[in-house]
Amino acid sequence: MQELKGKSVFGGIAIGRISVYNKDESTVKRVKIEDTAAEVKRFEEAKETAKEQLQALYEKALVEVGEVNAMIFDVHQMMLDDLDYVEAITHMIENQGINAEYAVATTGDNFSNMFAAMDDDYMKARAADVKDISNRVVKILQGKKDSVLDGDEPVILLADDLAPSETVQLDKSKVLAFVTRHGSTNSHTAILARTMNIPALIGVKFEENVDGRFAIVDGYNGSVYVEPTDDVVKEYESKKQEAEEKKRLLQELKGKENITLDGKKIKLYANIGGVADVASALQNDAEGIGLFRSEFLYLESNTFPTEEEQFQAYKTVAENMAGKKVIIRTLDIGADKQVDYFNLDKEDNPAMGYRAIRICLTQPEIFKTQLRAIFRASYYGNIGVMYPMIISVAEVQKIHAIVDEVKAELDAQGLPYGDVEQGIMIETPAAVMMSAELAKEVDFFSIGTNDLTQYTLAIDRQNPKLDDFYDSHHPAILRMIQMVIDNGHKEGCWVGICGELGADTTLTETFLKMGIDELSVSPSMIFPVRDKIRSTDTTK
Ligand code: PEP
Ligand code: MG
């Protein structure tokens, strides 16, 4: 038996035969062309066919994995029309008198290398996309078929890397798991894999000679066992059954209310980091989005995202959630989330430094751009907004004044917006102690236990040496939560928890007894928390 280690992108257990997928990267020959105009036309036609294929894939993905995840094929269609890309290819055909296949393949390689060399992880991930669209056009020019799997037996698919278009084309009934040498957790492929419910590992160093061998993929611990011993097979057969039974039982909770045995209902929302996470929130039956960490839009970008870019992102999330609540947290840049173009000074104590609302209140033009985008998007769904790292009533009043300016500007421009609930994060001890006064200013509180623990216990949440001291169950934290709930309720504010502690099922009963109104957790934790809520009796 051989054990290969990698990183899990999606859990689950698969047992079956390995199929090593080799991309059809047959060499593209350079050929001299006389009639370059005809060759450019041939390229243009292939490009159009590629777009038609991508449109078909978009429609397939739309049904299978939802609009947000299907969007990558829309993006691929746009990439095919990118002026720089198209010009590079046509110039190469015209100036060098070469065949379209060679010009497309070479340009694809050049652009892909350029993206791969960038510092930004998001841009790096685009290298695979440009390679993917170029391979598609080359295949069309070569008159090759567009397929990923053949054969009837379901297999564990091993590949160097899988492009998003390849992942979505996988016939799920034929794939037990997929395992790649490369790829990143943030890539679209990884996101699609999670959404498609296929156990998946990345970063697995495998040899080609494993092709056809029997294996087990453990998507929980990130291992592939090639030619496992009988004992290991037995062990995994029963683990697989257990996992399937657990999943099946949890799936039965789909559509069920988040209600305790004694009839207390609470809201169970999802935390997301970007537009792409909406699919998984919906698949896990989130009643809403309780925390949209909007700073990821800034982290993914090389420059300040424009109002329009942000508006489109927020609008897409609001529309996809179809009337369910979407709470956008305004940008929480600083501390561990650094962005070059903000030009923030190096600080000795960044967690206690110039971050989050402190940046927004001192650079209101950045804040207003985001608020305009959020309010404009609110017209298309049920949007709420919340502000991070609040320590005083004065800050909230300043925010309200800025929000009023933004609304007045939108009114003057005739731009519509909806009713936006406004809340604050309670993640500093000062906000806890001022919660009675703060509750008069806002519609809701969302307790950020990750930072509240770090600031209350004076323990840097980024320091692994302090992991054993970082105790979110500390009585000080639990008393603070109770205090915030009581003070919020006195003023008619609803109170939720969006920090990681909200998903801690050992505390669900405690939170319910405290009177919590909402828990916002990562999508995969919704069913386990719902399960806990439904088996709790708060009168006992
Ligand atoms: C928190 O601090 O608990 C929180 C939800 O915000 P973040 O983890 O993004 O700081
Ligand atoms: Mg926080």
Side-chain angles (χ1 to χ4, degrees):
M1 181 174 85
Q2 187 190 3
E3 183 180 351
L4 308 169
K5 287 299 274 183
K7 191 171 171 191
S8 175
V9 167
F10 195 74
I13 287 164
I15 305 175
R17 215 156 277 288
I18 290 176
S19 171
V20 175
Y21 168 62
N22 287 312
K23 281 185 210 294
D24 188 12
E25 294 193 293
S26 44
T27 42
V28 175
K29 290 204 179 75
R30 183 188 167 109
V31 181
K32 262 295 200 217
I33 294 291
E34 292 301 326
D35 188 351
T36 55
E39 199 62 7
V40 169
K41 188 157 174 275
R42 210 164 71 80
F43 159 62
E44 292 285 354
E45 283 167 0
K47 179 163 82 74
E48 288 314 306
T49 309
K51 279 165 60 186
E52 281 162 23
Q53 286 180 356
L54 287 163
Q55 182 58 27
L57 279 176
Y58 172 81
E59 280 156 24
K60 181 178 188 298
L62 197 63
V63 178
E64 285 185 6
V65 292
E67 182 174 359
V68 173
N69 290 292
M71 236 147 64
I72 184 64
F73 301 112
D74 213 27
V75 174
H76 276 194
Q77 289 180 66
M78 284 191 273
M79 282 171 100
L80 274 172
D81 278 331
D82 179 79
L83 221 56
D84 289 336
Y85 178 74
V86 172
E87 271 180 15
I89 293 167
T90 42
H91 280 173
M92 202 180 264
I93 296 173
E94 284 162 352
N95 298 344
Q96 299 180 29
I98 52 156
N99 55 327
E101 288 88 333
Y102 190 81
V104 174
T106 311
T107 305
D109 283 348
N110 289 345
F111 274 60
S112 169
N113 291 341
M114 203 163 70
F115 282 126
M118 290 181 173
D119 284 337
D120 185 316
D121 280 349
Y122 178 82
M123 295 311 285
K124 265 197 178 119
R126 302 287 74 77
D129 292 331
V130 76
K131 198 90 194 250
D132 189 24
I133 58 163
S134 304
N135 285 343
R136 178 175 296 282
V137 178
V138 169
K139 261 193 207 166
I140 294 166
L141 286 164
Q142 292 173 330
K144 287 197 174 136
K145 221 170 89 249
D146 182 33
S147 81
V148 171
L149 282 177
D150 30 272
D152 288 330
E153 191 196 354
V155 292
I156 294 169
L157 195 71
L158 265 62
D160 210 34
D161 201 355
L162 278 171
S165 59
E166 290 166 328
T167 317
V168 82
Q169 282 178 82
L170 300 179
D171 178 348
K172 273 176 275 173
S173 64
K174 287 189 192 163
V175 183
L176 300 170
F178 82 67
V179 175
T180 60
R181 284 199 183 99
H182 305 292
S184 73
T185 328
N186 299 317
S187 66
H188 286 290
T189 300
I191 291 161
L192 282 169
R194 284 188 209 116
T195 319
M196 287 166 81
N197 235 339
I198 299 173
L201 307 184
I202 56 174
V204 178
K205 306 277 168 270
F206 62 86
E207 305 285 337
E208 303 293 318
N209 64 10
V210 294
D211 194 25
R213 307 238 186 122
F214 186 67
I216 293 172
V217 176
D218 183 337
Y220 300 111
N221 74 1
S223 293
V224 183
Y225 302 97
V226 183
E227 296 191 327
T229 60
D230 290 348
D231 284 350
V232 172
V233 174
K234 257 201 207 121
E235 181 194 330
Y236 271 94
E237 272 168 352
S238 77
K239 271 192 188 171
K240 186 166 182 266
Q241 252 177 7
E242 266 171 48
E244 274 165 11
E245 183 59 12
K246 238 190 210 161
K247 243 192 204 167
R248 197 186 59 73
L249 284 174
L250 286 174
Q251 281 294 324
E252 281 177 8
L253 292 171
K254 208 164 187 165
K256 297 245 166 84
E257 283 187 311
N258 303 305
I259 187 165
T260 62
L261 291 171
D262 53 315
K264 242 190 200 172
K265 271 191 213 168
I266 70 158
K267 294 179 273 197
L268 188 52
Y269 288 173
N271 292 347
I272 61 166
V275 180
D277 296 336
V278 175
S280 129
L282 284 173
Q283 283 208 331
N284 286 285
D285 212 17
E287 268 183 284
I289 304 295
L291 166 63
F292 179 173
R293 289 182 162 97
S294 71
E295 58 275 8
F296 283 93
L297 294 177
Y298 292 75
L299 289 166
E300 283 169 4
S301 180
N302 286 331
T303 173
F304 290 100
T306 62
E307 177 183 323
E308 199 53 33
E309 282 164 352
Q310 293 190 60
F311 165 65
Q312 288 301 340
Y314 305 145
K315 176 170 172 270
T316 304
V317 174
E319 284 178 338
N320 287 351
M321 291 304 291
K324 292 181 179 143
K325 178 70 92 195
V326 175
I327 299 175
I328 301 169
R329 173 180 67 191
T330 57
L331 73 108
D332 189 7
I333 289 294
D336 53 317
K337 297 171 201 148
Q338 292 292 332
V339 183
D340 287 349
Y341 58 84
F342 270 75
N343 286 322
L344 301 178
D345 292 335
K346 198 157 168 31
E347 296 177 316
D348 287 340
N349 221 340
M352 297 198 183
Y354 185 55
R355 60 174 288 197
I357 204 68
R358 301 165 187 180
I359 297 178
C360 290
L361 289 175
T362 48
Q363 301 192 57
E365 64 293 352
I366 296 176
F367 194 30
K368 278 173 93 171
T369 302
Q370 179 169 39
L371 288 172
R372 281 178 60 93
I374 292 173
F375 273 81
R376 281 177 57 202
S378 71
Y379 184 68
Y380 301 88
N382 182 1
I383 283 185
V385 61
M386 68 179 173
Y387 309 104
M389 290 295 293
I390 296 295
I391 56 168
S392 71
V393 170
E395 282 174 345
V396 180
Q397 287 168 343
K398 276 186 199 148
I399 293 168
H400 285 330
I402 295 174
V403 167
D404 287 345
E405 277 176 38
V406 165
K407 283 189 188 171
E409 281 170 24
L410 295 177
D411 287 337
Q413 290 173 283
L415 292 168
Y417 53 86
D419 263 341
V420 178
E421 259 197 322
Q422 292 189 70
I424 54 170
M425 295 209 41
I426 302 283
E427 51 184 348
T428 64
V432 174
M433 299 312 290
M434 297 306 293
S435 52
E437 288 78 5
L438 287 165
K440 295 190 172 79
E441 305 288 330
V442 293
D443 301 314
F444 66 92
F445 286 154
S446 188
I447 307 175
T449 50
N450 309 337
D451 277 320
L452 187 58
T453 305
Q454 107 163 320
Y455 295 125
T456 305
L457 305 185
I459 285 174
D460 180 356
R461 68 192 254 195
Q462 299 295 113
N463 187 340
K465 269 197 212 143
L466 299 177
D467 275 355
D468 289 344
F469 294 93
Y470 185 93
D471 174 17
S472 302
H473 289 220
H474 194 292
I477 306 296
L478 299 178
R479 276 191 210 171
M480 284 177 152
I481 294 174
Q482 184 69 72
M483 186 175 174
V484 173
I485 294 172
D486 293 344
N487 283 335
H489 285 177
K490 273 184 211 146
E491 296 296 335
C493 262
W494 62 262
V495 182
I497 298 176
C498 64
E500 292 305 299
L501 202 64
D504 185 335
T505 49
T506 64
L507 284 176
T508 309
E509 184 173 341
T510 307
F511 295 147
L512 288 163
K513 286 184 174 166
M514 285 178 167
I516 203 77
D517 303 297
E518 178 241 27
L519 292 172
S520 191
V521 302
S522 67
S524 62
M525 285 308 291
I526 289 176
F527 287 135
V529 176
R530 177 173 294 171
D531 196 26
K532 193 74 199 174
I533 294 168
R534 291 176 63 84
S535 59
T536 298
D537 183 343
T538 61
T539 61
K540 292 224 170 106

